Amino acid sequence: MSNSKKRNISILGTDKFTGITIKEPAEYAAGLPAVKVALEHSFKEMGVVKSLSVLSKMNQKEGFDCPGCAWPDPEKPSKLGEYCENGAKAIAEEATNKRVNRDFFSKYSVEELSQWSDYHIGKSGRLIEPMVLRPNSIHYEPISWEEAYELVAKKLKDLNTPDEGVFYTSGRSSNEAAFLYGLFVRAFGTNNMPDCSNMCHESSGVALVETLGIGKGSVKLEDFDQAEIVIVMGQNPGTNHPRMLSALQKCKENGGKIISINPLEEAGLIRFKNPQEIKGVVGSGTALTDIHLQVKINQDIPLLKVILKKLIKLDAENSGIVDLEFIEKYTYGYQNFLKKLDQYSEDELIRACGVDEKSIDQAVEILAKKEKIIICWAMGLTQHKNGVENIKECVNLLLLKGSLGKPGAGTCPVRGHSNVQGDRTVGIMHHVSKELNEAIQKTFGFTPPEKEGLDTVHAIQAMHEGKAKVFVALGGNFLSAASDTKYTAEALQNCELTVNISTKLNRTHLVTGKTGLILPTLGRSELDKKDGKTRFFTVENSMGKVHRSKGMLKPASDSLRSEPEIIGGIASAYFGNNHSVAWKNLGADYDSIREKIEQVIKGFDKVSNKSKGSGFYLPNNVRELDFRKLPKGKAQFSCCDLPEHNLKENELLLMTIRSHDQFNTTIYGLDDRYRGVYNERRVVLMNSKDIIKLGLQKLDVINMISSYDGEKRVASNFLVIPYNIPEQNIASYFPEANVLIPYNKYADKSHTPISKSVIVIIEKAK
Ligand SMILES: Nc1nc2c(c(=O)[nH]1)N[C@H]1C(S)=C(S)[C@@H](COP(=O)(O)OP(=O)(O)OC[C@H]3O[C@@H](n4cnc5c(=O)[nH]c(N)nc54)[C@H](O)[C@@H]3O)O[C@H]1N2
Ligand SMILES: Nc1nc2c(c(=O)[nH]1)N[C@H]1C(S)=C(S)[C@@H](COP(=O)(O)OP(=O)(O)OC[C@H]3O[C@@H](n4cnc5c(=O)[nH]c(N)nc54)[C@H](O)[C@@H]3O)O[C@H]1N2
Ligand SMILES: [Mo]
């Protein structure tokens, strides 16, 4: 009998409604309401005194890095504390006074907890001691740290090959923890290191490496001061990167223009009232977007192609619009690119993208005259079948305009998790790097495996097929974050052992292998003290700058261990004294880890010193216009195909997006204030014409159904909300709608699930 049958686990939790209110979408972001909501969330979780002290310490030079997002800190942080509403919520969530202790687990079985909503589960509080769910049991029980390490070591030893282990990483870990984890996994003998990046910016990484030679963005924060045009595509900064709005505000104040490309008119891109300034609180704020191009979902390539065609046509009439000198000197493939672009007619492209030509012409007109252009993007571009090509088309535009390697211009993939970029830099990846392996061999005296590992979607398949049997997660909420929730649940339940190193309870702790293990860890904000000495970490922000982060709050419990300590503990139990690395000691000594990082990872020399203050930038070849690593030594133009969906009359394209009150799978609250949706997450935003066409009405209860390769997947019980969204496009929240996304449908090359373009039909719920 399968394990899932033995434990009666609800994979999705409750689908009950919570009592919706709908208002008009907001006309500006932040301002006083943001301050109010930030304080409300903080007071509720931490109390008044602790809240005020905590908020003043965020993102200051000697403080801790906000666990909210990876947007960089300004050189001169504001006196009020450099935080935003959603950063405050992130910290309130971590610094909450509530605790999940052994009494909690003896009161509630995993069967019962699995019936709860993600919101309810997350609000239970911080995990404070190691817990084990033994085979055939439905209650977690306490286990000592040493026993827990031995248990993991034993299950790892029982595997037939190291490739039966899967080691996931979310993006909140420090460079030190991630480096040690990657080192242990390689020493263990596999490259099975899926990470959250696989579901996130992997498409950006692949596209940027192939075209520009580095998988990261090229701009620095200062570039926003000088940019003449910032294009914000497939990104909702007002909610997901609120501190970016200050950079956009500065750009506007300096005379820059903002073009936003998005199926939705997101409030954060309309107008911003900076709560860190008096005028932001009492005044009317700064208008941000100059031109909004309301593109249809996944029709960014046709839109960019029309823009490119129009710019090239204008240049033929009046030279200087296309930067031919830059193209000649630094790029390869321009003629091919032109030839391919010629195959498309403007009319066909305009029809496909759904944007009116007048707005496109306005955008072209301002782009024609400028060269300091930044393109920012996030999940709206990466999570499609052609995610990689979406980004390559953006690079085409920047190359055409010579908008790289100069102040105020460049690529800006806006990262998700606060250290997802750093984790990659220090070695979390399923790919094999010969250079990294050689450096590890030289420094540590063992040979890392040379076989390519599994990424997220393939790790899920391997577990489902019984080819992988132990799953270890350094942070994250794998079940809810991954696509195809039911399939992923079966995959995890097939495992012998699932281990989660976590700060807070989530659904992945409830949908476990035969044995489940929770190893509770210190959060970023907490004081990390050993032998009287306060330890600090380093992290890398979205713009490639490495700096320190030092926790300062009293830890949720004295029995918590830091991530490096836990990794060191597991590794030491696994290897005993039979290894060239002294795992336990290394796990406890971050200075030593940093010394090793210096030796192994390029650009990290003297990291301990250089990470002081505002930190240091890692090398970036695009900033230097050095493309030697690429074919012909030049940046590459790409020929991108048009996306193909061929929607039938009754089919809709669904994007799964974040509400204003969540951090990925952590649900802070039930409001999506900027979009005017309150106290409900089970909603689907639809164009009024589609609502009529489908014979529906506002607030009707519907089910969404996706059918791929003959398999139907159903997400049931969602409320219809009329919304300003293109026809045949709909939006619903992640993770509730993840059940619709097939595990085997993902972007070419990057394997990022198609979370932003799922074909569905809608039926009225019975
Ligand atoms: N508060 C908060 N902050 C966060 C997070 C969070 O959940 N909460 N998550 C963090 C993480 S891990 C990440 S990756 C980022 C995510 O940051 P975002 O990428 O901003 O997050 P999403 O909600 O997925 O938003 C995608 C945006 O793309 C648009 N979009 C969808 N499809 C398309 C398309 O085909 N074309 C275009 N042009 N636009 C499209 C949507 O309308 C939406 O505005 O934020 C990070 N920061
Ligand atoms: N449909 C759909 N699916 C998506 C997306 C989407 O847009 N649509 N977005 C994707 C993206 S961009 C991402 S990045 C992934 C996110 O995937 P994950 O990173 O796996 O998910 P999170 O929800 O961020 O993880 C939250 C959990 O991390 C743990 N945690 C928090 N802080 C710490 C810490 O400091 N240390 C440790 N060890 N644990 C900690 C807590 O236990 C918390 O419950 O989801 C992806 N899934
Ligand atoms: Mo992400």
Side-chain angles (χ1 to χ4, degrees):
M1 198 162 57
S2 88
N3 175 48
S4 60
K5 292 219 178 70
K6 264 188 237 158
R7 293 193 191 112
N8 187 13
I9 297 292
S10 159
I11 305 301
L12 302 172
T14 173
D15 64 356
K16 285 216 177 81
F17 296 122
T18 38
I20 192 167
T21 307
I22 308 177
K23 296 184 188 165
E24 284 298 308
E27 283 172 1
Y28 66 89
L32 258 193
V35 179
K36 184 170 160 272
V37 172
L39 293 178
E40 274 168 12
H41 275 265
S42 307
F43 293 170
K44 211 156 122 194
E45 299 289 338
M46 309 186 276
V48 175
V49 177
K50 186 166 161 194
S51 296
L52 296 176
S53 145
V54 170
L55 293 177
S56 69
K57 287 175 186 145
M58 273 169 81
N59 289 335
Q60 302 289 338
K61 286 213 174 88
E62 284 303 307
F64 54 89
D65 186 56
C66 176
C69 74
W71 190 257
D73 309 325
E75 280 296 318
K76 284 191 212 121
S78 113
K79 286 206 178 60
L80 279 168
E82 186 62 33
Y83 70 92
C84 65
E85 173 191 343
N86 278 348
K89 289 180 194 160
I91 206 65
E93 201 71 21
E94 180 170 300
T96 178
N97 294 331
K98 294 179 220 147
R99 301 287 176 263
V100 173
N101 54 21
R102 56 178 73 187
D103 296 342
F104 175 93
F105 284 115
S106 64
K107 184 165 172 199
Y108 302 111
S109 69
V110 285
E111 293 183 347
E112 184 171 354
L113 290 170
S114 74
Q115 308 280 343
W116 295 9
S117 67
D118 287 339
Y119 173 60
H120 192 174
I121 293 171
K123 288 291 174 195
S124 307
R126 283 288 298 276
L127 295 157
I128 53 169
E129 61 180 327
M131 302 295 297
V132 62
L133 182 67
R134 302 207 186 266
N136 305 319
S137 171
I138 56 167
H139 282 274
Y140 268 103
E141 57 196 82
I143 179 171
S144 76
W145 279 105
E146 301 314 314
E147 265 182 280
Y149 296 153
E150 288 300 330
L151 176 66
V152 183
K154 161 138 198 347
K155 293 286 181 192
L156 289 177
K157 284 179 192 164
D158 284 349
L159 295 177
N160 295 316
T161 114
D163 287 333
E164 288 182 350
V166 168
F167 299 85
Y168 175 70
T169 313
S170 171
R172 261 198 201 172
S173 297
S174 58
N175 292 334
E176 288 75 1
F179 177 79
L180 193 68
Y181 189 57
L183 191 71
F184 165 62
V185 177
R186 290 182 176 92
F188 170 67
T190 182
N191 284 308
N192 288 348
M193 277 180 271
D195 72 337
C196 67
S197 203
N198 298 151
M199 301 181 257
C200 183
H201 265 295
E202 193 76 49
S203 303
S204 310
V206 172
L208 293 174
V209 165
E210 288 186 5
T211 54
L212 300 175
I214 183 170
K216 304 178 181 185
S218 71
V219 300
K220 297 180 176 178
L221 189 54
E222 307 85 274
D223 287 316
F224 282 79
D225 302 356
Q226 300 186 43
E228 294 167 319
I229 300 179
V230 178
I231 304 180
V232 184
M233 288 183 80
Q235 190 210 344
N236 179 18
T239 285
N240 298 314
H241 310 91
R243 289 183 303 122
M244 176 175 162
L245 300 186
S246 313
L248 294 178
Q249 180 190 24
K250 220 159 169 194
C251 164
K252 287 298 301 243
E253 286 170 356
N254 293 343
K257 300 265 187 228
I258 293 171
I259 301 174
S260 69
I261 302 182
N262 199 310
L264 304 181
E265 204 176 354
E266 302 284 22
L269 284 167
I270 305 175
R271 182 170 282 279
F272 172 50
K273 296 195 188 185
N274 192 341
Q276 308 277 349
E277 299 172 352
I278 297 296
K279 67 175 194 246
V281 177
V282 296
S284 61
T286 311
L288 294 181
T289 296
D290 295 278
I291 301 168
H292 175 220
L293 305 177
Q294 190 166 23
V295 68
K296 285 189 179 168
I297 293 176
N298 197 210
Q299 296 300 329
D300 299 87
I301 288 187
L303 173 59
L304 287 169
K305 281 196 195 295
V306 201
I307 294 176
L308 288 162
K309 275 178 91 84
K310 283 180 183 272
L311 286 170
I312 291 164
K313 206 160 76 186
L314 278 182
D315 186 69
E317 295 158 11
N318 199 346
S319 68
I321 288 167
V322 171
D323 191 340
L324 289 174
E325 210 175 300
F326 180 92
I327 292 173
E328 173 71 23
K329 196 161 169 202
Y330 296 110
T331 76
Y332 178 72
Y334 186 53
Q335 291 309 324
N336 249 348
F337 160 80
L338 286 180
K339 222 161 82 196
K340 176 97 187 198
L341 199 59
D342 253 357
Q343 294 171 3
Y344 304 99
S345 79
E346 282 188 19
D347 286 350
E348 142 196 45
L349 297 170
I350 293 171
R351 229 175 308 127
C353 71
V355 182
D356 67 285
E357 190 167 7
K358 209 169 129 220
S359 307
I360 298 178
D361 286 338
Q362 280 172 353
V364 169
E365 194 189 320
I366 62 167
L367 283 164
K369 295 181 203 130
K370 311 288 187 198
E371 57 184 34
K372 292 182 181 172
I373 303 165
I374 295 176
I375 304 184
C376 304
W377 71 87
M379 298 305 99
L381 293 197
T382 62
Q383 296 174 331
H384 300 282
K385 175 147 197 309
N386 61 344
V388 172
E389 296 215 318
N390 275 338
I391 288 130
K392 287 189 173 178
E393 201 75 272
C394 294
V395 172
N396 284 339
L397 176 57
L398 293 172
L399 293 178
L400 189 91
K401 295 292 297 172
S403 299
L404 286 167
K406 58 176 70 148
T411 50
C412 183
V414 185
R415 298 286 159 180
H417 268 298
S418 48
N419 197 40
V420 59
Q421 190 160 312
D423 291 354
R424 245 324 140 80
T425 305
V426 300
I428 298 298
M429 59 185 166
H430 58 282
H431 295 302
V432 180
S433 153
K434 217 169 148 231
E435 205 183 345
L436 177 66
N437 281 3
E438 280 169 10
I440 289 176
Q441 159 73 42
K442 206 166 134 210
T443 310
F444 294 99
F446 72 86
T447 313
E450 280 162 17
K451 184 177 154 203
E452 184 91 353
L454 298 170
D455 57 17
T456 296
V457 291
H458 292 99
I460 296 169
Q461 286 183 48
M463 290 187 280
H464 204 275
E465 289 164 11
K467 293 180 186 153
K469 295 181 180 138
V470 171
F471 171 83
V472 181
L474 183 60
N477 180 1
F478 191 79
L479 174 68
S480 300
S483 43
D484 220 335
T485 319
K486 284 187 180 153
Y487 183 88
T488 302
E490 287 161 7
L492 289 169
Q493 289 172 325
N494 262 349
C495 287
E496 283 299 316
L497 172 71
T498 49
V499 183
N500 284 283
I501 302 170
S502 317
T503 51
K504 298 203 62 180
L505 190 67
N506 64 47
R507 196 163 285 285
T508 308
H509 301 123
L510 311 174
V511 181
T512 63
K514 291 199 179 80
T515 303
L517 197 57
I518 298 175
L519 303 177
T521 190
L522 286 172
R524 170 99 44 96
S525 59
E526 288 168 320
L527 187 66
D528 185 350
K529 228 172 171 173
K530 173 93 177 168
D531 303 330
K533 209 179 130 204
T534 304
R535 298 184 285 199
F536 68 90
F537 285 123
T538 61
V539 291
E540 176 183 343
N541 69 28
S542 198
M543 291 172 191
K545 203 174 198 188
V546 177
H547 62 98
R548 291 183 179 191
S549 172
K550 199 173 187 176
M552 31 185 58
L553 308 181
K554 187 174 179 307
S557 149
D558 290 338
S559 49
L560 293 179
R561 296 201 176 166
S562 75
E563 290 180 341
E565 280 171 346
I566 296 171
I567 298 157
I570 293 173
S572 160
Y574 180 78
F575 285 112
N577 292 324
N578 302 323
H579 201 259
S580 56
V581 179
W583 293 101
K584 203 159 200 162
N585 294 344
L586 193 58
D589 183 353
Y590 310 166
D591 287 331
S592 295
I593 302 179
R594 277 187 286 274
E595 258 171 45
K596 300 294 179 191
I597 296 181
E598 287 177 9
Q599 291 166 34
V600 173
I601 309 291
K602 253 204 190 138
F604 270 81
D605 49 311
K606 303 201 187 79
V607 53
S608 281
N609 263 330
K610 289 198 302 191
S611 59
K612 275 188 191 147
S614 68
F616 66 99
Y617 280 106
L618 290 171
N620 187 306
N621 63 295
V622 181
R623 287 176 192 150
E624 318 297 327
L625 291 174
D626 170 2
F627 301 112
R628 274 175 299 180
K629 271 200 282 182
L630 290 162
K632 310 273 181 205
K634 296 195 164 168
Q636 309 283 307
F637 270 99
S638 321
C639 298
C640 308
D641 292 324
L642 298 186
E644 272 180 39
H645 292 291
N646 304 321
L647 292 182
K648 296 194 196 104
E649 179 85 16
N650 63 336
E651 287 176 338
L652 302 148
L653 206 53
L654 162 74
M655 55 177 178
T656 56
I657 56 176
R658 291 157 171 79
S659 86
H660 192 60
D661 262 2
Q662 72 183 88
F663 190 95
N664 299 340
T665 69
T666 300
I667 313 301
Y668 300 140
L670 301 174
D671 298 342
D672 194 0
R673 192 172 83 241
Y674 293 162
R675 300 197 185 106
V677 180
Y678 289 79
N679 203 41
E680 186 57 77
R681 290 186 52 83
R682 304 196 71 84
V683 297
V684 48
L685 311 182
M686 277 178 92
N687 185 297
S688 300
K689 287 193 188 141
D690 288 324
I691 296 182
I692 294 169
K693 210 163 94 190
L694 292 169
L696 298 170
Q697 287 186 349
K698 179 175 167 181
L699 295 183
D700 268 356
V701 182
I702 56 106
N703 303 328
M704 290 179 275
I705 302 157
S706 71
S707 300
Y708 285 86
D709 307 325
E711 191 165 339
K712 277 191 177 180
R713 293 172 174 81
V714 184
S716 36
N717 269 0
F718 289 79
L719 297 168
V720 172
I721 312 255
Y723 204 82
N724 177 8
I725 182 170
E727 277 176 73
Q728 272 197 301
N729 286 181
I730 55 173
S732 193
Y733 299 132
F734 141 58
E736 284 81 351
N738 283 34
V739 64
L740 294 166
I741 309 167
Y743 69 90
N744 56 358
K745 298 290 170 215
Y746 41 74
D748 300 330
K749 289 191 177 178
S750 68
H751 302 174
T752 300
I754 54 158
S755 307
K756 295 286 189 276
S757 46
V758 191
I759 299 175
V760 299
I761 57 163
I762 279 183
E763 63 170 30
K764 250 181 152 166
K766 301 214 169 67

